[in-house]
Amino acid sequence: MSADYWSSSQRTKWQFNRQTLLDYRRKLLILERKMIHSGLIKDYPYVNYDWNMRIYLHNLIVKLGRRLNIRQVVLATAEVYLTRFLTKVSVKEVNVYLLVAACVYASCKIEECPQHIRLIVSEARSLWPEYIPHDTAKLAEFEFYLLEEMNLYLILHHPYRSLLQIQTFLKENYDTYAFVLTDDELQNSWSLISDSYITDLHLLYPPHIIAITVIYITIVLKKNSSSLKSNGNSVSIGADVNEKPQSGAIDSQNDPSAMEIEDLMTLSSSNPQEEPLAQTVSGATQLEVKSLSKIDRDTIRINKFMKFLNHSHINLDEVAESIQDMVNLYVVWNHYNENLVKKSLHRMLTNT
Amino acid sequence: MNHAYNQAASGGMNNQTQRTKGNMSALPTTSLMASSGILTLAPYKHRKDLVRESVLSKYEILGYIAAGTYGKVYKAKSKTSNKRKIGSDRTTGDVHNGQTSTSAIGMDREAGENAVRSESDQQLYAIKKFKSDNHSSKMNSHDINGNEVVNYTGISQSAIREMSLCRELSNRNVIKVIDILLENKAIYMVFEYCEHDLLQIIQCHSHPEIKHIPDFTIKSLVWQILNGVSFLHKNWIFHRDLKPANIMVSSSGVVKIGDLGLARRFNNPLQSLYTGDKVVVTIWYRAPELLLGGRHYTPAIDLWAVGCILAELLSLRPIFKGEEAKIDMSNKKQVPFQRNQIQKIVEILGTPNSKTWPSITMYPEYPTFKQCFGSNLPSNLSKWYELIGRTNQKCFNLLEGLFEYDPTERLAAENALLHPFFLEPPRVTENAFEGLKMKYPRRRIFTDDNDIVSNNNYAPHKRHAHDDNFTRKRQK
């Protein structure tokens, strides 16, 4: 249903569990092997749907979105389309640049801010002239295949709205929880959501789980908030890519995301409660013990947030798994090698 | 494959798994393709095109029902038996329909409908084939034999809306999409088939001589329309093109609101509604706030249209049959002032003013309106009601509520469902045709052009008044 995630096609048609998603990907690999074996496609061993590729694709969408000056939610929809498509189609058999353009083109329409196909093509061509055909019919054609792979289930529910709903709820129930997100925290959670589109989270969990995940990461990392300034890593990485497209791995000295990654890593190792989150929250005493040794404002806030989580009946196992995915993302982001993807794709697409 | 696809609506992930398997087993092994073709997706397209099911392999075209600017609607029969699937769809789909005021009907609607649903209806479909987007004529070229070669153009906003919304919605009073096929650059939306629509029913009652539609039939029809509209509004969707031709009725008297091509979600729009579509709703059914140039309108526009439909059911002719001022083709951005249409409304409902409608002065066209309609006419609605020979006071009161000038005061769909008219006996029947002596003829179909796959058959055929309404230019 359009108003309601629980009866939406997003949940009933396009939500996987980890096992089914894994099965899909395995089948896709088998298909890939078969196509290579029969000579339909060539094998380019470095063109894989791995973390490197995912971060690269995410950046492509962000770049095109910025050129077109379109809203975050529209990009988010495009990213989910991309992730869905690539559960059924191999990156070795398509032109991912055209795919990115098609996802953005379709999502603009579905989010009711349509852009003319010629504008999309010309902006995409100015970014990636060697990969985007001049003929708009090529993009239009790909849109058909894209929508077909999604079986025409197109309306999405994003965690951005859940985040705002949670904030509203916290404001309305301030008497009970004495906890709301500050503007910085909200902003930070917002940009964490934008990063989450690199992962499979949107194929696995309802939007509110992802919203809680980013709030948790934000609140627990409050003391490092200076490194988490608004639009922290996604923007900085995007900017980095924009300015020095030839540069390889991102210089971790200057990269604010690296700082955050370290924080997250220390967090996950020094905080034994973090893993079994459900346990932590249900046994709130555990946290109180901790707060005895180090009572500061942040700990009290974490405590209050935990109280809310405990009351919320939100599936905390899912939140814990989803936090783990986000942490993994930032770990691998630290080793992101843009040039490798870019060159491999170039070799594949120009057949050299 | 066929089996897997047939379960698409209910099968979920399971179904997708089967599809993937199908793709693999049908993997091409012969042709060698130049890898540079990958720039234009050649390997992928080749793989997909080999296994795609043709619309003609699944459906037998019986004839076409109507043609319009959007494309063409065909009546079709399934080639494989889909009965089981429809049954399961209904039970799973309607669990979520969240209707209000079921008490007004007060019986198991699901069981009722299945019992009266005729066998033949179940295997029939209406297939809507979308015409490709407007600039297609310019882009299309001709091949050696002079046949038109259709290029891909982007899918129209209207098709995207209708497909995406229909995929999410499941309500007894909103048309159900069974299947959507993309084939050979065309889109086919397969809907449940409805034998009638309100335009046809109204015509049936007015030709050759006037035979009033009984109150209890009107009551059931309007309640069902409101139920569907209420469902759409609860899902943050407004329809924006309600009119008799878009209200389908199944052979078992169940109303199905159709044509969601102008419908859109209105929660949290990223840009103003006006930016998306300058003009909405067919002129005779267009609410006064739209006629006055309102850009931030509300779902109340749909309720005005329901009012117009109710009036048309009562009197058998459009109540505000104004003449549309056409958009000046040399200045497309300028939306013309619909003086004649407003005139028709004012003649019956009186002149609105800032007492009856406080925000009226804020509308862009208010100064023009003030200039044209200086005198303060009183409402003639009760006289009109008398004149058409109607007497039910509660029904009149409902009509008044729907024709409230001020959109914030107009009846909302949810409240209208609880209107005294629906609560007084006789009870709302869930089969609108119950107790009706009149038998409506089956929908006419034209069998001279059953070629659903060719791309050359879009010239709208003006056959009879019915078609004429379909082809009436979509207000967009």
Side-chain angles (χ1 to χ4, degrees), chain B residues 202-403:
Chain B
I202 288 166
Q203 272 178 358
C204 213
H205 279 273
S206 46
H207 297 287
E209 78 275 10
I210 300 271
K211 297 174 294 262
H212 267 176
I213 308 176
D215 276 356
F216 60 85
T217 309
I218 293 183
K219 182 184 282 193
S220 171
L221 289 171
V222 173
W223 190 91
Q224 294 189 63
I225 296 170
L226 286 167
N227 189 50
V229 171
S230 161
F231 168 81
L232 291 175
H233 289 178
K234 269 191 225 152
N235 279 284
W236 303 94
I237 294 166
F238 38 40
H239 187 281
R240 305 198 298 184
D241 199 16
L242 291 174
K243 57 181 177 184
N246 286 342
I247 311 289
M248 314 294 152
V249 188
S250 76
S251 55
S252 48
V254 180
V255 166
K256 308 274 178 189
I257 296 175
D259 197 347
L260 275 77
L262 259 184
R264 63 164 287 178
R265 286 176 291 159
F266 60 86
N267 53 338
N268 216 357
L270 294 176
Q271 55 184 18
S272 97
L273 298 167
Y274 179 81
T275 318
D277 312 83
K278 300 267 179 288
V279 183
V280 293
V281 192
T282 305
I283 185 86
W284 299 340
Y285 307 90
R286 199 177 296 161
E289 62 269 32
L290 292 170
L291 295 168
L292 289 179
R295 296 181 173 198
H296 304 284
Y297 47 85
T298 64
I301 60 160
D302 283 341
L303 275 302
W304 179 275
V306 175
C308 297
I309 293 168
L310 170 57
E312 199 162 332
L313 290 169
L314 291 165
S315 74
L316 301 174
R317 63 176 57 136
I319 181 169
F320 308 126
K321 203 172 171 179
E323 252 166 60
E324 180 163 30
K326 295 288 176 219
I327 290 182
D328 179 3
M329 292 318 265
S330 60
N331 185 8
K332 282 188 181 175
K333 291 225 165 94
Q334 181 75 39
V335 178
F337 181 63
Q338 297 292 349
R339 186 185 169 144
N340 187 261
Q341 182 62 30
I342 298 175
Q343 176 79 37
K344 301 285 176 192
I345 295 173
V346 168
E347 277 168 13
I348 294 179
L349 297 180
T351 321
N353 55 51
S354 53
K355 269 183 210 132
T356 54
W357 182 4
S359 60
I360 187 172
T361 55
M362 318 279 278
Y363 285 88
E365 298 283 13
Y366 180 71
T368 323
F369 166 79
K370 197 76 189 142
Q371 241 171 22
C372 301
F373 301 93
S375 57
N376 213 348
L377 298 171
S379 171
N380 281 321
L381 189 62
S382 56
K383 203 182 282 173
W384 174 87
Y385 197 68
E386 215 172 283
L387 224 79
I388 61 164
R390 294 286 176 171
T391 50
N392 187 310
Q393 267 315 298
K394 295 208 165 95
C395 181
F396 175 73
N397 185 264
L398 172 65
L399 190 63
E400 263 189 329
L402 295 168
F403 281 154

Side-chain angles (χ1 to χ4, degrees), chain B residues 93-236:
Chain B
D94 279 351
V95 170
H96 306 294
N97 64 3
Q99 293 159 349
T100 49
S101 166
T102 34
S103 57
I105 277 183
M107 69 176 265
D108 185 0
R109 38 195 36 260
E110 211 41 60
E113 181 180 347
N114 282 344
V116 289
R117 202 177 165 87
S118 75
E119 265 304 286
S120 59
D121 251 21
Q122 290 194 353
Q123 294 155 3
L124 292 173
Y125 301 98
I127 303 184
K128 184 172 183 173
K129 181 186 184 183
F130 285 97
K131 197 171 165 172
S132 46
D133 220 352
N134 42 21
H135 40 274
S136 55
S137 54
K138 255 181 286 166
M139 295 182 60
N140 292 347
S141 48
H142 294 262
D143 67 10
I144 294 173
N145 302 317
N147 297 322
E148 204 179 21
V149 179
V150 179
N151 279 319
Y152 280 99
T153 52
I155 298 170
S156 71
Q157 189 69 11
S158 157
I160 286 270
R161 282 170 173 160
E162 186 160 18
M163 289 191 289
S164 61
L165 292 174
C166 284
R167 272 296 201 211
E168 301 294 315
L169 298 174
S170 173
N171 179 273
R172 184 182 136 92
N173 296 123
V174 176
I175 196 94
K176 187 173 186 61
V177 69
I178 308 292
D179 201 355
I180 305 178
L181 301 167
L182 301 178
E183 183 190 349
N184 196 22
K185 305 168 181 117
I187 300 171
Y188 303 92
M189 281 186 83
V190 183
F191 291 100
E192 56 185 331
Y193 179 75
C194 286
E195 198 59 78
H196 314 282
D197 60 63
L198 284 194
L199 190 70
Q200 176 225 31
I201 288 173
I202 288 166
Q203 272 178 358
C204 213
H205 279 273
S206 46
H207 297 287
E209 78 275 10
I210 300 271
K211 297 174 294 262
H212 267 176
I213 308 176
D215 276 356
F216 60 85
T217 309
I218 293 183
K219 182 184 282 193
S220 171
L221 289 171
V222 173
W223 190 91
Q224 294 189 63
I225 296 170
L226 286 167
N227 189 50
V229 171
S230 161
F231 168 81
L232 291 175
H233 289 178
K234 269 191 225 152
N235 279 284
W236 303 94

Side-chain angles (χ1 to χ4, degrees), chain A residues 115-128:
Chain A
Q115 306 286 328
H116 201 286
I117 190 164
R118 275 197 292 266
L119 181 71
I120 304 253
V121 167
S122 76
E123 291 301 334
R125 269 182 69 80
S126 69
L127 285 170
W128 315 298

Side-chain angles (χ1 to χ4, degrees), chain A residues 1-4 7-10 12-16 24 27-28 30-31 34-35 38-42 44 71 73-74 85 88-90 92-95 98 105 109-114 116-117 130-131 133 136-138 140-149 151-156 161 348-349 351, chain B residues 5 8-13 15-17 19-21 24 27-29 31-33 35-36 38-41 43-49 52 96-97 135 139 151-157 160-161 163-165 167-170 180 182-183 185-187 231 234-237 263-265 267-268 270-271 277:
Chain A
M1 227 60 74
S2 160
D4 173 10
S7 50
S8 69
S9 64
Q10 184 178 350
T12 58
K13 307 290 179 193
W14 271 102
Q15 192 167 299
F16 298 75
Y24 261 66
K27 275 179 194 141
L28 199 53
I30 295 168
L31 175 72
K34 281 188 176 172
M35 290 184 85
S38 60
L40 286 166
I41 54 172
K42 282 195 190 170
Y44 290 89
R71 304 276 293 265
V73 176
V74 186
F85 186 82
K88 293 169 139 195
V89 179
S90 161
K92 289 190 206 287
E93 57 175 331
V94 291
N95 170 358
L98 196 57
Y105 178 52
K109 288 192 230 179
I110 210 73
E111 300 296 343
E112 292 286 354
C113 53
H116 201 286
I117 190 164
E130 63 272 52
Y131 309 124
T136 54
K138 294 291 177 216
E141 177 187 39
F142 204 170
E143 180 190 27
F144 257 71
Y145 286 86
L146 172 68
L147 300 197
E148 185 186 38
E149 290 293 0
N151 220 336
L152 280 306
Y153 294 107
L154 303 174
I155 292 179
L156 295 178
R161 175 163 304 159
M348 183 178 91
L349 293 172
N351 194 17
Chain B
Y5 202 80
S10 53
M13 284 309 152
N15 159 56
Q16 284 165 5
T17 317
R19 279 204 85 176
T20 315
K21 264 189 216 148
M24 281 172 204
L27 192 75
T29 46
S31 63
L32 267 168
M33 212 172 303
S35 198
S36 59
I38 200 168
L39 255 186
T40 51
L41 316 169
Y44 164 64
K45 273 172 3 196
H46 185 59
R47 166 164 82 83
K48 294 298 291 182
D49 294 347
R52 184 175 294 108
H96 306 294
N97 64 3
H135 40 274
M139 295 182 60
N151 279 319
Y152 280 99
T153 52
I155 298 170
S156 71
Q157 189 69 11
I160 286 270
R161 282 170 173 160
M163 289 191 289
S164 61
L165 292 174
R167 272 296 201 211
E168 301 294 315
L169 298 174
S170 173
I180 305 178
L182 301 178
E183 183 190 349
K185 305 168 181 117
I187 300 171
F231 168 81
K234 269 191 225 152
N235 279 284
W236 303 94
I237 294 166
R264 63 164 287 178
R265 286 176 291 159
N267 53 338
N268 216 357
L270 294 176
Q271 55 184 18
D277 312 83

Side-chain angles (χ1 to χ4, degrees), chain A residues 205-273:
Chain A
Y205 302 117
H208 72 273
I209 294 289
I210 299 162
I212 289 292
T213 298
V214 299
I215 297 174
Y216 183 89
I217 293 172
T218 304
I219 296 301
V220 176
L221 281 181
K222 176 72 164 53
K223 52 179 175 284
N224 307 98
S225 64
S226 56
S227 66
L228 279 166
K229 271 274 148 36
S230 58
N231 291 333
N233 54 64
S234 58
V235 167
S236 66
I237 284 189
D240 201 280
V241 169
N242 274 339
E243 281 152 26
K244 320 176 268 175
Q246 305 94 327
S247 82
I250 286 159
D251 183 359
S252 57
Q253 299 286 157
N254 302 331
D255 180 14
S257 72
M259 182 97 159
E260 184 184 332
I261 289 157
E262 271 163 31
D263 294 338
L264 275 164
M265 289 169 85
T266 16
L267 180 87
S268 51
S269 55
S270 71
N271 240 0
Q273 305 103 305

